[in-house]
Amino acid sequence: MASKDEVIAMAKEAIMEFDGEMAEEAAQEGLKAGVNPVEIIQAYTDAMGDVGVQFEAGTLFLPHVLAASEAMNAGIKILKPEMEKTKAETTSKGKVVIGTIEGDIHSIGKDIVVSMLGIAGYDVIDLGRDVPIKTFVESVKENKPAIVGSSALMTTTMVNQIQIEEQLKEAGVRDSVKTMVGGAPCTQDWADKIGADIYGESATDAVAKVKAATGA
């Protein structure tokens, strides 16, 4: 049986090698060895962070990022039933709606935030990528989350984050939810300018600020 350290190392390697089968194997070995699923997901997430750094540096490209993300999702699928069991025994810290903004197909940062918020005990409604503004608004109305977050990886799509603010106001629900923005071109100044409540500089920062905002 694999040790915890071996499972963690395999989980990280699987993501760096874009190997979904290895990610699944790491998850299965981890469950057999009694490793907390949260720690395995954290290993995937750490490796995805490294992939993101290499992508930003130009040593990896979008197909690599997508392949790494698919590998992570393959592993998480194995762990999900166990996570759901644990979730049923604990109280959710609140709901968070999150998605990548309309016109933008990048999802690496958003996927990491989704995983880390799930680990932190939040009920996350992941809208996916290239999400129309009206879908964010409809999800806020339907799910009544504490936070709605949008990720933008391009200057051409981040302008759509203004529309989330505007359309939430038009729908009369802006005061019922805190808004969060993130993604490479976003800054605190941008968040202030458009009236967003939270700017997530990184996945870790986003989770810390969501915890602060929800008092969890």
Side-chain angles (χ1 to χ4, degrees):
M1 189 182 289
S3 69
K4 176 179 160 180
D5 287 346
E6 286 170 337
V7 167
I8 299 300
M10 191 195 301
K12 287 182 177 176
E13 186 185 351
I15 306 307
M16 299 308 292
E17 296 290 330
F18 324 116
D19 190 332
E21 285 182 14
M22 192 194 294
E24 289 175 356
E25 189 185 340
Q28 286 158 350
E29 289 292 327
L31 292 177
K32 266 191 241 166
V35 179
N36 188 331
V38 166
E39 294 186 71
I40 303 170
I41 291 175
Q42 187 66 56
Y44 293 146
T45 302
D46 289 345
M48 280 301 292
D50 291 340
V51 168
V53 168
Q54 291 187 45
F55 175 63
E56 292 293 329
T59 53
L60 287 179
F61 302 97
L62 190 57
H64 299 117
V65 174
L66 295 176
S69 189
E70 280 169 17
M72 180 173 80
N73 289 338
I76 288 176
K77 199 180 275 186
I78 302 291
L79 298 169
K80 252 198 175 146
E82 197 59 38
M83 294 287 288
E84 294 299 330
K85 247 188 268 174
T86 315
K87 208 181 219 179
E89 295 159 14
T90 56
T91 312
S92 168
K93 289 180 179 175
K95 286 184 186 174
V96 178
V97 166
I98 192 167
T100 302
I101 203 83
E102 189 168 8
D104 203 322
I105 59 158
H106 300 84
S107 65
I108 178 171
K110 186 266 298 171
D111 289 346
I112 293 173
V113 173
V114 167
S115 295
M116 289 179 70
L117 284 171
I119 289 167
Y122 288 89
D123 182 7
V124 186
I125 296 107
D126 182 2
L127 301 177
R129 55 191 184 178
D130 192 15
V131 181
I133 310 302
K134 66 176 185 181
T135 304
F136 283 98
V137 177
E138 284 163 5
S139 189
V140 167
K141 284 183 181 171
E142 184 185 331
N143 296 293
K144 300 181 171 50
I147 311 271
V148 56
S150 61
S151 171
L153 269 290
M154 301 184 290
T155 50
T156 51
T157 56
M158 75 188 239
V159 294
N160 290 331
Q161 290 174 324
I162 300 169
Q163 285 301 314
I164 292 181
E165 298 292 330
E166 295 303 321
Q167 291 191 29
L168 285 172
K169 283 176 194 163
E170 282 173 24
V173 291
R174 177 62 183 88
D175 292 341
S176 70
V177 68
K178 289 189 185 299
T179 56
M180 176 170 71
V181 295
C186 299
T187 60
Q188 184 62 59
D189 282 349
W190 172 246
D192 294 342
K193 184 178 174 184
I194 68 172
D197 298 301
I198 302 166
Y199 162 58
E201 186 176 7
S202 64
T204 312
D205 185 51
V207 173
K209 285 176 178 169
V210 166
K211 284 182 178 176
T214 56

